[in-house]
Amino acid sequence: MATFRVAYGYARNVHNQQSFVEIRKVGTSIDQSTEFSLGPDGYTLTTEGPSDTHMLPGIYTKTLEVTTIWDDVTKLNVLLAQIASSQDGTYFIETKNSLVGVPSFVGVLLPESMAIKDDATNVAVTFRATDGLALLKNTLYNDDGDPYTDHQTLKQHIENVQEKLLTWVRNEEYLESNVGNRRLALSMNATSVDDASYTTHPPSRTTDGYERMRVHHRTFHKQNTDGVNEYYSAYDVLDSICKTLGVCAGSFQQALWLVSPDSIAEGFDVRTYAFNGTESTLNGAVLTQPFDGTYLVTTSYKGANWTRSYSSPVGKALLTRVTQQSQGLIYSTQDAPGTVLFDTDEVYNRSENLTIRGRVRIQKSGDASLTGANRLYRFVPTFTLIIGTDDTTQYYLKHQIQRDITPNMTAVLNEGTQQENVVNYFNLYTGTTANNQLKPYSWETSDSDYHHRVPMDDGRFFALHDAKYDIDVVLPFEFTVLIYGTGNSTNQYKGASLEPQLLAYDFEGLIDSNYLDDATVTFIEVGLYRRAKDQLQEAESFRYRAKQDSGRTDIDHGQTLIGDRGASTYFGGIEVYDGTDWIPSSGWVTRDQATARTVNQLAVEEVCANHKEAKNVQRGTVVHSTSVEPAVFYFGHRWQDMTTDEYFVPLRHVFTYTSQLSDVTLFKRGRTFSGVTVDIDKFTDPIDTTSLKPSGTDLSGSELFVVTRTEGLAQIYHNDARTIAEAWDNANVIDGANLEFYKTVTPDAFGQYNAYQGEFRGVNEKIVRRIYFNGRSRLATDTDSGWVAIHTMPDNSTLAETIDYLQEYVGTDTGDTFQYTAIISHELVSTLTTLLDQYSGATAAYSLRKVRNAYSGNCIIVRRDGASPGSQAIGFNASGELDTTAIISFCGSNNGFVTRWYDQSGNSNDLVQNSTTAQPKIYNGSSIEQLNSKPALLFDGSNDTMAVATNFDANENVNECVVAWVGSITNAGSGNAVVSHWNSTTSNQVFQMQKLNTDYMRHGLRYNNAQLATAASSATIVSGNQYIVVGTNKQNSMTLYTDGDSTSGTNVQNLAPNNATTMFRVSGRADNQAILHNGRTQEVVVWSRATPADDADDISDAINTFYSSY
Amino acid sequence: MQEWILVNAEGLLTSVARAQIITRELYNITRPVWLQEPFEAESNLFSYITHPDDPTNAALIVDTMHIIQVHPSCTLEKLIAVFPELTVDERFALSSVIHQTNAFPFGLILPDSVTVRDEQYMIDNGWIEEEE
């Protein structure tokens, strides 16, 4: 169905960006575009979740409010009149960056929400529109008026709901012209909400689960006993799916997204389904809205009214699974004979009474055979009841009892022999009468009028007659059976099935199915009920409750229609696909616990797990900066506080376009304070904080609290210590070291913070612990003055030994006036003898081995191509060589390219390549790229190159510059620059190492008098061979070592080498990427020394001890 | 083989800004922003150089044979927006090419107005110097 534009306007925000607001109408009329102006806010888009205080599964809705100002009042009045008389879904409002662009929001205009403000010169009309999710409450879930049929997967149900959105008309129109665009996005959470308790997740929490689970249509639809269809709303259907699977649903552009709320802050994987039916692979999806406390060009920042609060832990979560009224363990309506009804979950006990009850309607036209001895005598509803359907391996549970409800039947009907067999094997007796007979109903007939009568308990006769031969009779039935038998060892049986049938008997007691040929038989209702104390036990709604010992807040999810019990009845049962068949299941949740949980039980347990700690709730205004495209329309994005690096789930936000402000409510779960995990369970027993106070203090108990860490060290903290620990948690105590222990002593209390790093150290590593002391207390940052490094412990001292040393240092001077702060740092230090430890003063050092012991960072970042792209930092193995195992594991059968080559010199001059086509290769899908059996980066000579992002001066100390390169070159006859510190102007040219097109290696150096000195190798190099090339320059001297063979430079000046802050590149000339490198590079190191050391040949030899090139 | 495309300034966009947007949006065809991971925030397809005499002038270093994989949910608005000189038909053709294939060589979507330059042209016009 097509739509057309009715009117539009546009707004400019404070950053001079433009956004259009368009009113569209269903139809194919010619464009009636009328331009209006927008009010001062432009528009306001509100996104609201199920709760503004807790992170809950459910439906997020969006509403747009826009004030329009019209000059052409005549046209406006025509439009308003049309809108006012229109049906919902006729008019849309959408926003987009250009009139032909993709709508970022499509909403249904709500006629009842229009507000019109007349003015002397023009008219202002405020429109409101919704993405349609809330309006689903008014939409019955059916297939154009008819019930859906059979089972459908949850994905199909979701798509059914999506197509009922009033916005679907417009979204479908767009998708029909962009069939490759997504219509549905389903996320999965790769991480557990609580790793301690939930180690694996059920299929419901994976995108596969949406297609591996299916639910019968009667979950969302039923017939009353009059045969009238009754439907739940489409909103209830979607809401039930959300609550059952623990996900949130929301709209973004033309797609419906389902995202687990607890995964939003963690990041998640998503599978998208395009309108044309194609589906994407599972991709990592992290939609991040960064914000910060300070203004940055690249991010948004917090407004002045930012507030932070904590919500209390949740004590109880409740979810109610709605059952259909008056249902039994098995219950259905309007079924044809032979319909097998079953329940898979209920446990039946020996000696338990069960009642089968219901009504059957028989309609039959006159039949000439209803005369004489063969005339129709009796209709008999019969039922095949099987108890223990899930126990197929135990023979005694597989027997079935077949009863008809009339005790006065002929021998054939009594089936006495079979009954005995049943008794023998199943021992299921009938039972409410004294003589163990079925409850009697009798039939009275006569040849004259064929009047069928059924005596009821109250003495009335039920059933209608015939007027000649027509029959239209409703027969009630009810009988009770007793489960009575040897049973299995537990005397319990799980699951049952019930198949109603109708038999017709002639006057001689013979079954004659011909009587039913023209009959219409409908079991208006059939139910299997428990019976206790002579009362029927009708099923109630099931409530699932999870609780924990602490916490004071209750969360009531409300209701879900999808249930667990009776998984394959028509009452919310679930089936899962096991790879071969669809099988009924409700306890299919696989977890470490011995007892599998039903899906609804899981939902509430996970809510409790999510909320078992106090939560950080932040509210305020976010100001969006000019270069940020606010991700306000995205559903499922997380918000990242760039200051604390914390991620939040948005519970609600209101975005105003013109001012570029978002009023947000953000929620952070799972962690409290500064990464300290508070185990709330520890608070279940009141702590006598009084006894923990330092003597002589007057602290109130509230100022003390207990924290347990995963190491299990329970410690007492003063509240100040907690605050201080926050500030210190990420402090860079000393280059390469971590804060491990913090203690502060004040005159009135003390606090300490323990971030124990353990005693583990790798091969070629040692543990170094240092103690720092300050004579003041409560120091909040490492920038406070007065610190004294009092001691470096002997290598590999334990933390306990270090604390002992500190206590000994502090001594017994702990009087009331004494105060101090002390910290212990922990550092893993390599014991390898590396190149830069032998030859210091490097300004840049890139290598696929570790070349400086103190360097603790990674070696490279590898990008993986293929269907599941990703990026991972790769470090070194215990021997200080590139961790190739990690690369192989990460890349698998995909190629690996290097996006960053870390500078190990400590100057952070990393080589970077963001362009995917220009990144050198490290892994070819099956093996590591190598040269002389060592890892090497492969540069293709076409466009591969890496450069330092920010110009720097690699020869800052001027007097001697040494450049070392290890690699190979494979394209003979062409120029190849392997290392270049160069620019287009001579004053910014420092050095360039290259292979000439004559195949000689050459090192070139520019002096500040613009003269170029060069030193070339004495022989041409062999294509593909590994070489160690070291060039050195100083005043009046230049030498090139090619595999240790030295040659002197020409045009050497009696000047210091040039130095300049300029471009630095590996592969190609630095400024213009000409003469790119075709070959491999393993190492590039540049030294700049104020005092020449004349040791370039030694450097070459030292490098060769590792590479064995010559 | 290296090839270059000179990028002209258009409207409020400088040559460098356009080059950055183009190479970024080309990357987004394969990896739409909404599914990108943080490490892809600055990823792009081709690198570029600036003219030695006028650093505001940029040239993309391209490979016209490079195959660009198309993600089914990619959006082209930003890419098209930096080519205001395209006619409606050309825009439609560009969208069609990208949305109707799983992958295409970069050269296939170059508008008629774009000329791919070789090394000699770049040397002759002062972009790069002839090297030994």
Side-chain angles (χ1 to χ4, degrees):
Chain A
M1 193 178 296
T3 67
F4 66 97
R5 181 188 307 142
V6 173
Y8 72 98
Y10 66 90
R12 284 192 181 279
N13 64 26
V14 291
H15 303 311
N16 202 31
Q17 296 161 331
Q18 186 171 269
S19 181
F20 285 85
V21 173
E22 187 175 86
I23 300 175
R24 299 184 73 88
K25 182 182 180 183
V26 172
T28 55
S29 173
I30 59 171
D31 191 340
Q32 301 173 15
S33 292
T34 301
E35 187 169 350
F36 49 74
S37 302
L38 293 183
D41 285 340
Y43 57 81
T44 302
L45 182 69
T46 301
T47 305
E48 293 183 281
S51 165
D52 64 355
T53 55
H54 287 93
M55 181 182 68
L56 296 179
I59 297 174
Y60 275 67
T61 58
K62 290 180 177 177
T63 52
L64 181 88
E65 180 172 312
V66 57
T67 297
T68 58
I69 301 167
W70 300 71
D71 294 329
D72 192 336
V73 178
T74 303
K75 282 190 174 179
L76 170 64
N77 287 335
V78 172
L79 176 63
L80 291 179
Q82 292 175 343
I83 291 175
S85 61
S86 67
Q87 298 287 325
D88 281 348
T90 305
Y91 287 88
F92 302 95
I93 300 181
E94 60 192 42
T95 62
K96 46 197 173 186
N97 290 337
S98 72
L99 281 177
V100 296
V102 183
S104 50
F105 169 82
V106 174
V108 179
L109 192 153
L110 299 170
E112 70 276 18
S113 295
M114 287 191 302
I116 304 162
K117 183 177 181 182
D118 292 319
D119 188 88
T121 55
N122 48 35
V123 178
V125 183
T126 298
F127 293 105
R128 290 184 179 83
T130 168
D131 64 356
L133 283 168
L135 294 180
L136 288 174
K137 293 176 182 174
N138 304 321
T139 304
L140 297 179
Y141 186 68
N142 57 40
D143 189 8
D144 288 333
D146 296 323
Y148 289 104
T149 56
D150 299 327
H151 286 81
Q152 288 187 298
T153 65
L154 292 185
K155 173 174 172 287
Q156 289 168 330
H157 282 297
I158 293 167
E159 288 178 332
N160 292 342
V161 171
Q162 184 184 25
E163 291 173 11
K164 297 183 183 308
L165 285 168
L166 290 177
T167 49
W168 182 244
V169 170
R170 173 57 180 146
N171 288 332
E172 186 181 35
E173 177 188 27
Y174 181 83
L175 290 171
E176 282 176 341
S177 58
N178 298 274
V179 296
N181 281 21
R182 61 176 179 249
R183 65 169 289 185
L184 183 63
L186 304 175
S187 85
M188 66 172 285
N189 184 7
T191 59
S192 170
V193 297
D194 184 340
D195 291 331
S197 304
Y198 301 89
T199 55
T200 58
H201 277 271
S204 64
R205 303 186 73 82
T206 73
T207 55
D208 292 339
Y210 293 96
E211 294 185 278
R212 287 182 52 207
M213 294 175 61
R214 66 180 194 179
V215 179
H216 197 274
H217 74 95
R218 287 208 189 180
T219 301
F220 310 121
H221 150 251
K222 62 181 179 180
Q223 282 182 317
N224 64 22
T225 55
D226 293 332
V228 178
N229 292 320
E230 295 178 350
Y231 303 98
Y232 286 97
S233 74
Y235 186 93
D236 288 340
V237 172
L238 185 61
D239 192 49
S240 294
I241 292 173
C242 288
K243 286 171 177 171
T244 302
L245 302 189
V247 298
C248 288
S251 63
F252 168 55
Q253 288 185 341
Q254 283 69 49
L256 189 62
W257 287 65
L258 275 82
V259 182
S260 173
D262 54 83
S263 70
I264 291 175
E266 306 289 339
F268 52 83
D269 294 332
V270 66
R271 191 188 306 280
T272 60
Y273 300 83
F275 186 72
N276 61 7
T278 61
E279 66 181 57
S280 74
T281 56
L282 200 59
N283 290 307
V286 179
L287 310 172
T288 301
Q289 170 66 59
F291 66 99
D292 203 330
T294 56
Y295 177 79
L296 295 173
V297 173
T298 55
T299 187
S300 305
Y301 60 100
K302 297 175 185 173
N305 59 343
W306 198 263
T307 60
R308 183 175 63 162
S309 60
Y310 295 90
S311 65
S312 57
V314 169
K316 184 170 62 180
L318 182 69
L319 177 66
T320 302
R321 210 278 288 174
V322 180
T323 58
Q324 299 190 35
Q325 59 184 355
S326 303
Q327 72 174 56
L329 306 172
I330 291 175
Y331 180 83
S332 188
T333 59
Q334 301 293 326
D335 292 306
T339 303
V340 180
L341 309 170
F342 50 101
D343 149 61
T344 59
D345 288 337
E346 202 66 28
V347 174
Y348 301 87
N349 300 295
R350 181 186 175 191
S351 302
E352 185 171 31
N353 287 310
L354 300 174
T355 293
I356 298 172
R357 188 177 78 167
R359 290 178 292 157
V360 58
R361 180 179 185 180
I362 306 154
Q363 296 167 285
K364 182 173 171 58
S365 300
D367 191 323
S369 66
L370 299 179
T371 57
N374 292 328
R375 64 187 183 276
L376 175 66
Y377 180 72
R378 184 176 291 150
F379 289 117
V380 179
T382 66
F383 299 87
T384 302
L385 175 65
I386 302 175
I387 301 293
T389 53
D390 75 328
D391 204 351
T392 56
T393 61
Q394 298 191 19
Y395 70 94
Y396 44 80
L397 295 179
K398 286 298 292 178
H399 291 287
Q400 66 185 47
I401 182 169
Q402 179 172 323
R403 296 289 193 199
D404 55 59
I405 64 169
T406 54
N408 303 321
M409 291 179 286
T410 65
V412 173
L413 294 177
N414 273 330
E415 299 176 336
T417 302
Q418 185 178 344
Q419 184 173 348
E420 288 304 312
N421 288 338
V422 169
V423 171
N424 286 341
Y425 287 98
F426 192 69
N427 294 334
L428 184 62
Y429 268 78
T430 62
T432 56
T433 58
N435 59 356
N436 256 359
Q437 295 298 305
L438 291 169
K439 188 169 184 178
Y441 286 118
S442 62
W443 296 69
E444 294 185 3
T445 62
S446 71
D447 291 344
S448 59
D449 62 4
Y450 300 104
H451 194 88
H452 306 269
R453 302 167 66 194
V454 178
M456 302 298 292
D457 289 344
D458 60 4
R460 290 184 295 117
F461 285 93
F462 186 86
L464 302 174
H465 90 76
D466 103 317
K468 292 291 179 183
Y469 305 103
D470 290 345
I471 300 171
D472 185 354
V473 59
V474 175
L475 304 176
F477 53 84
E478 175 176 332
F479 67 96
T480 299
V481 294
L482 174 67
I483 301 176
Y484 177 79
T486 54
N488 56 22
S489 59
T490 63
N491 287 324
Q492 290 185 326
Y493 319 97
K494 188 175 181 184
S497 75
L498 181 65
E499 178 184 350
Q501 282 288 2
L502 188 78
L503 300 179
Y505 297 86
D506 65 15
F507 198 76
E508 295 180 342
L510 299 176
I511 298 173
D512 190 342
S513 61
N514 291 330
Y515 290 132
L516 295 173
D517 283 348
D518 299 323
T520 300
V521 180
T522 304
F523 283 85
I524 296 171
E525 59 177 329
V526 180
L528 176 69
Y529 301 81
R530 289 191 194 282
R531 192 173 190 94
K533 298 179 181 177
D534 208 27
Q535 297 289 320
L536 258 57
Q537 307 296 304
E538 293 183 353
E540 298 176 349
S541 293
F542 289 82
R543 288 188 294 181
Y544 299 89
R545 179 184 293 113
K547 65 183 178 116
Q548 53 198 14
D549 294 335
S550 61
R552 61 179 180 272
T553 305
D554 292 355
I555 286 181
D556 188 349
H557 274 303
Q559 299 178 335
T560 178
L561 301 171
I562 301 173
D564 309 306
R565 198 196 59 73
S568 278
T569 67
Y570 295 141
F571 315 117
I574 299 167
E575 291 187 351
V576 295
Y577 190 67
D578 67 357
T580 306
D581 297 309
W582 289 95
I583 53 174
S585 176
S586 62
W588 43 267
V589 177
T590 304
R591 288 194 282 187
D592 274 358
Q593 287 82 355
T595 305
R597 244 62 65 88
T598 57
V599 63
N600 287 332
Q601 190 178 354
L602 172 78
V604 290
E605 282 181 351
E606 293 222 352
V607 166
C608 260
N610 264 333
H611 296 276
K612 80 174 191 178
E613 298 163 2
K615 302 304 181 302
N616 187 341
V617 180
Q618 303 207 5
R619 292 181 174 85
T621 302
V622 169
V623 183
H624 300 291
S625 68
T626 177
S627 63
V628 173
E629 181 180 352
V632 293
F633 299 114
Y634 285 71
F635 171 74
H637 70 282
R638 60 183 179 180
W639 291 63
Q640 180 185 16
D641 187 329
M642 302 297 285
T643 303
T644 62
D645 205 29
E646 294 175 305
Y647 292 100
F648 293 87
V649 177
L651 299 178
R652 178 180 189 273
H653 68 258
V654 181
F655 170 66
T656 305
Y657 181 77
T658 304
S659 56
Q660 290 288 291
L661 300 175
S662 286
D663 286 326
V664 297
T665 301
L666 303 177
F667 185 96
K668 181 178 183 297
R669 69 151 180 87
R671 300 285 178 187
T672 60
F673 312 121
S674 61
V676 178
T677 303
V678 177
D679 184 352
I680 295 298
D681 290 339
K682 298 301 177 186
F683 287 98
T684 55
D685 296 322
I687 296 172
D688 180 8
T689 53
T690 305
S691 65
L692 301 174
K693 289 187 293 186
S695 60
T697 65
D698 57 356
L699 289 173
S700 66
S702 62
E703 291 181 270
L704 294 171
F705 67 100
V706 173
V707 172
T708 61
R709 294 183 53 78
T710 53
E711 293 85 358
L713 302 175
Q715 299 191 5
I716 314 303
Y717 288 84
H718 187 278
N719 270 340
D720 281 346
R722 182 191 68 202
T723 305
I724 293 165
E726 281 187 63
W728 273 93
D729 199 23
N730 295 313
N732 187 15
V733 179
I734 191 171
D735 184 27
N738 296 312
L739 171 73
E740 186 175 36
F741 180 81
Y742 175 97
K743 183 171 185 177
T744 189
V745 175
T746 75
D748 59 359
F750 69 90
Q752 65 186 38
Y753 174 81
N754 189 337
Y756 184 43
Q757 301 294 312
E759 306 299 340
F760 174 80
R761 57 192 169 90
V763 179
N764 299 320
E765 279 185 333
K766 62 182 180 181
I767 297 173
V768 177
R769 287 190 164 97
R770 300 180 181 87
I771 304 173
Y772 300 83
F773 184 85
N774 198 308
R776 295 179 294 152
S777 65
R778 303 182 183 183
L779 298 183
T781 74
D782 60 345
T783 58
D784 285 307
S785 61
W787 285 101
V788 177
I790 60 171
H791 189 61
T792 299
M793 296 292 287
D795 291 347
N796 304 320
S797 296
T798 65
L799 177 62
E801 292 167 344
T802 311
I803 293 174
D804 285 347
Y805 185 95
L806 172 63
Q807 294 302 328
E808 192 172 338
Y809 176 84
V810 176
T812 57
D813 190 5
T814 56
D816 286 349
T817 60
F818 185 70
Q819 55 182 299
Y820 72 87
T821 302
I823 60 175
I824 294 173
S825 72
H826 171 280
E827 183 179 14
L828 286 174
V829 177
S830 173
T831 56
L832 290 171
T833 301
T834 62
L835 182 65
L836 298 195
D837 292 303
Q838 289 179 275
Y839 301 97
S840 60
T843 49
Y846 315 99
S847 181
L848 298 179
R849 61 176 174 140
K850 194 168 185 176
V851 292
R852 185 166 69 91
N853 263 335
Y855 178 70
S856 58
N858 287 300
C859 179
I860 53 177
I861 294 179
V862 174
R863 176 182 65 85
R864 173 181 64 199
D865 69 1
S868 179
S871 180
Q872 181 169 304
I874 303 295
F876 305 97
N877 61 22
S879 300
E881 298 183 39
L882 181 66
D883 187 356
T884 54
T885 302
I887 296 175
I888 294 168
S889 172
F890 172 64
C891 293
S893 60
N894 302 300
N895 294 304
F897 299 92
V898 175
T899 64
R900 181 176 290 267
W901 198 356
Y902 285 100
D903 174 16
Q904 299 184 37
S905 73
N907 296 317
S908 301
N909 295 314
D910 300 345
L911 289 166
V912 178
Q913 181 52 268
N914 287 324
S915 302
T916 55
T917 55
Q919 291 161 349
K921 185 183 289 185
I922 184 66
Y923 181 72
N924 62 14
S926 58
S927 60
I928 298 288
E929 294 291 344
Q930 288 188 328
L931 177 62
N932 196 15
S933 303
K934 304 275 189 199
L937 301 192
L938 175 61
F939 291 84
D940 65 0
S942 174
N943 44 25
D944 289 357
T945 180
M946 302 192 81
V948 175
T950 304
N951 293 349
F952 73 106
D953 185 359
N955 191 25
E956 59 190 5
N957 292 318
V958 178
N959 288 341
E960 185 188 39
C961 180
V962 181
V963 181
W965 170 81
V966 183
S968 68
I969 300 173
T970 53
N971 57 341
S974 297
N976 278 235
V978 293
V979 187
S980 177
H981 195 33
W982 209 254
N983 206 332
S984 57
T985 56
T986 54
S987 61
N988 285 322
Q989 295 175 348
V990 182
F991 61 76
Q992 181 162 291
M993 184 177 285
Q994 65 190 97
K995 181 182 81 72
L996 304 174
N997 53 21
T998 53
D999 292 338
Y1000 289 90
M1001 287 302 298
R1002 189 186 81 172
H1003 188 52
L1005 174 94
R1006 187 76 73 183
Y1007 292 95
N1008 61 14
N1009 64 356
Q1011 291 296 308
L1012 179 68
T1014 60
S1017 59
S1018 60
T1020 59
I1021 66 168
V1022 177
S1023 176
N1025 278 12
Q1026 184 189 46
Y1027 287 93
I1028 297 172
V1029 185
V1030 180
T1032 177
N1033 317 87
K1034 60 181 180 178
Q1035 188 169 347
N1036 212 22
S1037 173
M1038 182 176 197
T1039 308
L1040 180 68
Y1041 297 89
T1042 309
D1043 270 359
D1045 178 29
S1046 70
T1047 50
S1048 298
T1050 60
N1051 198 29
V1052 177
Q1053 308 290 302
N1054 191 22
L1055 294 169
N1058 207 357
N1059 75 323
T1061 299
T1062 189
M1063 298 176 177
F1064 189 97
R1065 183 177 296 279
V1066 170
S1067 179
R1069 212 178 100 161
D1071 58 330
N1072 59 24
Q1073 303 178 41
I1075 54 172
L1076 292 168
H1077 177 199
N1078 189 332
R1080 290 172 163 82
T1081 290
Q1082 296 169 302
E1083 189 164 294
V1084 174
V1085 183
V1086 180
W1087 288 266
S1088 177
R1089 299 192 279 214
T1091 304
D1094 291 327
D1095 54 5
D1097 55 338
D1098 296 334
I1099 289 176
S1100 179
D1101 291 344
I1103 294 172
N1104 192 50
T1105 58
F1106 179 76
Y1107 288 104
S1108 303
S1109 178
Y1110 59 90
Chain B
M1 186 184 70
Q2 279 184 286
E3 298 170 309
W4 291 263
I5 292 176
L6 309 190
V7 181
N8 297 322
E10 284 285 356
L12 296 176
L13 288 176
T14 65
S15 167
V16 171
R18 270 190 87 209
Q20 289 171 337
I21 293 173
I22 290 170
T23 185
R24 172 67 175 157
E25 291 305 317
L26 288 172
Y27 179 83
N28 292 345
I29 290 174
T30 306
R31 299 277 296 162
V33 173
W34 59 268
L35 61 74
Q36 288 182 23
E37 297 184 50
F39 75 84
E40 297 176 89
E42 297 179 4
S43 293
N44 53 61
L45 190 65
F46 297 125
S47 58
Y48 67 91
I49 59 172
T50 56
H51 197 284
D53 299 330
D54 181 4
T56 65
N57 248 339
L60 285 169
I61 304 173
V62 303
D63 175 1
T64 53
M65 299 304 292
H66 178 76
I67 302 298
I68 298 177
Q69 304 291 332
V70 179
H71 190 281
S73 298
C74 71
T75 56
L76 305 175
E77 275 64 30
K78 284 189 177 179
L79 181 61
I80 292 175
V82 294
F83 291 104
E85 72 273 23
L86 295 183
T87 65
V88 173
D89 289 343
E90 286 174 324
R91 291 182 183 203
F92 179 75
L94 179 60
S95 298
S96 299
V97 166
I98 294 177
H99 276 316
Q100 292 177 5
T101 60
N102 294 325
F104 61 89
F106 169 65
L108 188 63
I109 62 166
L110 287 177
D112 292 341
S113 57
V114 170
T115 304
V116 178
R117 306 297 185 180
D118 61 11
E119 183 175 9
Q120 193 57 49
Y121 176 91
M122 300 300 280
I123 292 171
D124 293 344
N125 288 274
W127 284 88
I128 59 177
E129 297 171 21
E130 195 159 14
E131 300 280 349
E132 294 178 80

